[in-house]
Amino acid sequence: MTTPCIICVAITGSLPRKADNPAVPVTITEQVESTHAAFEAGATIAHCHVRNEDETPSSDPDKFAALKEGLEKHCPGIIVQLSTGGRSGAGQARGGMLPLVPDMASLSVGSNNFPTRVYENPPDLVDWLAAEMVTHGVKPEIEAFDLSHILKAHEMWKKGQITDLPYVQFVMGVKNAMPADREVFDYYIKTVHRLFGANAPWCAAGIGPNQIVLNDWAVSSGGHARTGLEDNVRLDKSTLAPSNAALVRRVVDLCAKYERPVATAAQARKILGLRAAA
Ligand SMILES: [Zn+2]
């Protein structure tokens, strides 16, 4: 049997605003409703950022707590993944929500360029975030914006800074970082299998119009797929995505095309080695 495909929905992010697409959920209530529809459509990981009332990014642990509680109540079994990404806070504030013990948190292990700035992940902060995740029993998802990030995750795993088998996400198509390049993508998969074993799960995310491209590559190559308004607000050049759920449905269609079952929340937890839902 082919491995079920885990669909992650990145519901909000820190960049897109309602002016870009009114479907971007900003308040906690909107975020819970949008995730619920995406969950019903087939998503089993919710990748979460929180926002202030003026839509600017926040790293307020109280907001994360309210969102986590709402998601766990309305989307039973869903895997809650909180972002420790660098757009929403500075320094250790990026990990201030880890004591909430979400199922997962994103972890960037190296720096690179973003469209208009440097995405700074200094070694001491990376070490601290990883240690906090070990302390609180939070599984990291390694955000690989570059090949070196996969090798860094391997080094951290060998040193015990990451205790579970690393779950690596390939991020492609961020301007000034790694483009959506098929040969690099295939080499990423080869590298994950070489370093972490032939059965190590991995996932992929593409930005903007690359989202559906990476979805296709990941689903057809046995990986897991991320979609959502954080990475892309359009269905095509002239059509805004009406919801996160609509973007999830595109991945569900790809799963049908490539004969991959869509993972249930319980299956996704098993594949990722996560505890059963409370
Ligand atoms: Zn994010």
Short mmCIF file of all heavy atoms in Angstrom, two decimals, residues 10 12-14 47-49 81 83-85 87 106 143 226 230-231, ligand 1:
data_model
loop_
_atom_site.label_atom_id
_atom_site.label_comp_id
_atom_site.label_asym_id
_atom_site.label_seq_id
_atom_site.Cartn_x
_atom_site.Cartn_y
_atom_site.Cartn_z
N ALA A 10 -0.96 25.75 6.10
CA ALA A 10 -0.34 26.92 6.74
C ALA A 10 -1.35 28.05 6.58
O ALA A 10 -1.46 28.68 5.53
CB ALA A 10 0.98 27.24 6.06
N THR A 12 -2.18 31.09 8.00
CA THR A 12 -2.12 32.55 8.10
C THR A 12 -0.76 33.14 7.73
O THR A 12 -0.67 34.09 6.96
CB THR A 12 -2.48 32.99 9.54
OG1 THR A 12 -3.81 32.56 9.84
CG2 THR A 12 -2.40 34.51 9.70
N GLY A 13 0.30 32.59 8.33
CA GLY A 13 1.63 33.15 8.12
C GLY A 13 1.76 34.52 8.75
O GLY A 13 0.90 34.96 9.53
N SER A 14 2.85 35.19 8.42
CA SER A 14 3.04 36.53 8.98
C SER A 14 2.97 37.62 7.92
O SER A 14 2.96 38.79 8.25
CB SER A 14 4.37 36.60 9.74
OG SER A 14 5.39 36.05 8.97
N HIS A 47 -0.31 24.53 10.52
CA HIS A 47 0.89 25.33 10.81
C HIS A 47 0.41 26.75 11.12
O HIS A 47 -0.25 27.39 10.31
CB HIS A 47 1.83 25.30 9.60
CG HIS A 47 2.97 26.27 9.72
ND1 HIS A 47 4.12 25.97 10.41
CD2 HIS A 47 3.13 27.53 9.24
CE1 HIS A 47 4.94 27.02 10.35
NE2 HIS A 47 4.37 27.98 9.65
N CYS A 48 0.75 27.22 12.32
CA CYS A 48 0.08 28.41 12.86
C CYS A 48 1.03 29.56 13.19
O CYS A 48 2.06 29.36 13.86
CB CYS A 48 -0.64 28.05 14.14
SG CYS A 48 -1.79 26.68 13.99
N HIS A 49 0.64 30.74 12.78
CA HIS A 49 1.18 32.01 13.28
C HIS A 49 0.03 32.75 13.91
O HIS A 49 -1.13 32.45 13.62
CB HIS A 49 1.72 32.88 12.14
CG HIS A 49 2.88 32.31 11.41
ND1 HIS A 49 4.11 32.91 11.39
CD2 HIS A 49 3.01 31.19 10.65
CE1 HIS A 49 4.95 32.20 10.65
NE2 HIS A 49 4.31 31.15 10.18
N GLN A 81 0.89 22.70 14.93
CA GLN A 81 2.29 23.06 14.74
C GLN A 81 2.42 24.58 14.82
O GLN A 81 1.85 25.30 14.01
CB GLN A 81 2.77 22.57 13.36
CG GLN A 81 4.23 22.90 13.08
CD GLN A 81 4.63 22.56 11.66
OE1 GLN A 81 4.65 23.41 10.78
NE2 GLN A 81 4.94 21.29 11.41
N SER A 83 4.57 28.12 14.78
CA SER A 83 5.75 28.63 14.09
C SER A 83 6.70 29.33 15.07
O SER A 83 6.28 30.15 15.88
CB SER A 83 5.34 29.63 13.01
OG SER A 83 6.51 30.23 12.46
N THR A 84 7.98 28.99 14.96
CA THR A 84 9.00 29.77 15.67
C THR A 84 9.80 30.59 14.66
O THR A 84 10.93 30.96 14.90
CB THR A 84 9.96 28.87 16.48
OG1 THR A 84 10.74 28.07 15.56
CG2 THR A 84 9.22 27.97 17.44
N GLY A 85 9.18 30.83 13.51
CA GLY A 85 9.85 31.54 12.42
C GLY A 85 10.20 32.97 12.79
O GLY A 85 9.61 33.57 13.69
N ARG A 87 9.87 35.89 11.37
CA ARG A 87 9.18 37.11 10.97
C ARG A 87 8.31 37.65 12.10
O ARG A 87 7.91 38.81 12.07
CB ARG A 87 8.28 36.85 9.76
CG ARG A 87 9.05 36.79 8.44
CD ARG A 87 8.03 36.75 7.31
NE ARG A 87 8.62 36.66 6.00
CZ ARG A 87 8.51 35.58 5.20
NH1 ARG A 87 7.85 34.53 5.61
NH2 ARG A 87 9.05 35.59 4.02
N SER A 106 7.82 24.62 14.15
CA SER A 106 8.79 24.73 13.06
C SER A 106 10.13 25.13 13.65
O SER A 106 10.20 25.82 14.67
CB SER A 106 8.30 25.75 12.03
OG SER A 106 8.13 27.01 12.65
N GLU A 143 12.78 23.37 8.77
CA GLU A 143 12.48 24.13 7.55
C GLU A 143 13.77 24.24 6.74
O GLU A 143 14.69 24.96 7.12
CB GLU A 143 11.95 25.52 7.90
CG GLU A 143 10.75 25.51 8.86
CD GLU A 143 9.58 24.68 8.38
OE1 GLU A 143 9.33 24.62 7.16
OE2 GLU A 143 8.91 24.06 9.23
N ARG A 226 2.54 20.57 1.86
CA ARG A 226 2.01 21.72 2.59
C ARG A 226 1.36 22.68 1.60
O ARG A 226 1.87 22.93 0.50
CB ARG A 226 3.13 22.44 3.33
CG ARG A 226 2.75 23.82 3.81
CD ARG A 226 3.70 24.34 4.86
NE ARG A 226 3.96 25.76 4.69
CZ ARG A 226 4.60 26.52 5.59
NH1 ARG A 226 5.03 25.99 6.72
NH2 ARG A 226 4.82 27.79 5.36
N GLU A 230 -0.74 31.05 3.82
CA GLU A 230 0.55 31.63 4.21
C GLU A 230 1.50 31.69 3.02
O GLU A 230 2.23 32.67 2.84
CB GLU A 230 1.21 30.81 5.33
CG GLU A 230 2.67 31.20 5.55
CD GLU A 230 3.33 30.59 6.78
OE1 GLU A 230 2.63 30.00 7.62
OE2 GLU A 230 4.56 30.72 6.90
N ASP A 231 1.50 30.63 2.22
CA ASP A 231 2.48 30.50 1.14
C ASP A 231 1.98 31.04 -0.18
O ASP A 231 2.77 31.36 -1.07
CB ASP A 231 2.86 29.02 0.95
CG ASP A 231 3.47 28.40 2.20
OD1 ASP A 231 3.94 29.15 3.07
OD2 ASP A 231 3.47 27.16 2.30
ZN ZN B 1 4.99 29.82 8.81
#
